[in-house]
């Protein structure tokens, strides 16, 4: 089976959802994770802190410049990831659809290079 990255994108400036909504989202994500584990598809997943906590390391000649904060400005930022195994893109997209419904956020599904289909 090939591995896929599900990227969860958050809108910039949206803030935290209300606790009741967030609790429902977390329950649904927990259910999806249990189903992924039961199906032998779970690899890894976790949320990320806000982009302001990022540190960017940029090579410049023989040195590496260190800069606090996000690399790029955008309307959305990477808020979390899940890595899963799936037999094909259609199966990965179905898991991604479930994450999108649970979180109400955009989910990007991408295969890793070097998989069975490369």
């Amino acid at each position: 089976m090939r591995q896929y990255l599900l990227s969860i994108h958050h809108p910039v400036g949206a803030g935290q959802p209300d606790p009741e909504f967030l609790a429902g989202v977390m329950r649904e994500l927990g259910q999806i994770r249990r189903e992924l584990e039961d199906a032998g598809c779970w690899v890894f997943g976790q949320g990320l802190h806000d982009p302001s906590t990022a540190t960017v390391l940029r090579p410049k000649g023989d040195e590496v410049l260190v800069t606090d904060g996000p690399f790029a400005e955008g309307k959305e930022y990477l808020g979390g990831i899940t890595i899963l195994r799936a037999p094909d893109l259609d199966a990965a997209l179905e898991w991604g659809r479930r994450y999108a419904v649970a979180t109400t956020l955009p989910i990007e599904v991408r295969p890793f290079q070097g998989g069975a289909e490369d």
Side-chain angles (χ1 to χ4, degrees), residues 21-35:
F21 175 79
L22 187 56
V25 168
M26 297 309 292
R27 275 192 304 275
E28 183 64 25
L29 292 178
Q31 178 62 36
I32 295 169
R33 178 175 175 168
R34 285 188 292 280
E35 290 178 30

Side-chain angles (χ1 to χ4, degrees), residues 30-98:
Q31 178 62 36
I32 295 169
R33 178 175 175 168
R34 285 188 292 280
E35 290 178 30
L36 281 165
E37 289 171 338
D38 290 347
C41 296
W42 176 259
V43 176
F44 175 81
Q46 194 67 42
L48 296 168
H49 284 285
D50 185 272
S52 65
T53 65
T55 302
V56 178
L57 305 170
R58 186 185 317 259
K60 185 156 180 126
D62 293 336
E63 296 182 28
V64 176
L65 303 177
V66 179
T67 308
D68 291 335
F71 172 72
E73 303 241 351
K75 295 180 182 178
E76 297 175 336
Y77 65 90
L78 182 61
I81 65 165
T82 296
I83 300 171
L84 58 86
R85 286 184 210 83
D88 55 37
L89 178 60
D90 288 338
L93 291 173
E94 182 57 27
W95 288 111
R97 184 194 67 75
R98 294 197 50 206

Side-chain angles (χ1 to χ4, degrees), residues 3-7 44 78 80-84 92 107-112:
Q3 290 187 348
Y4 292 86
L5 173 69
L6 277 59
S7 304
F44 175 81
L78 182 61
I81 65 165
T82 296
I83 300 171
L84 58 86
I107 305 295
E108 178 184 35
V109 178
R110 292 175 66 184
F112 280 94

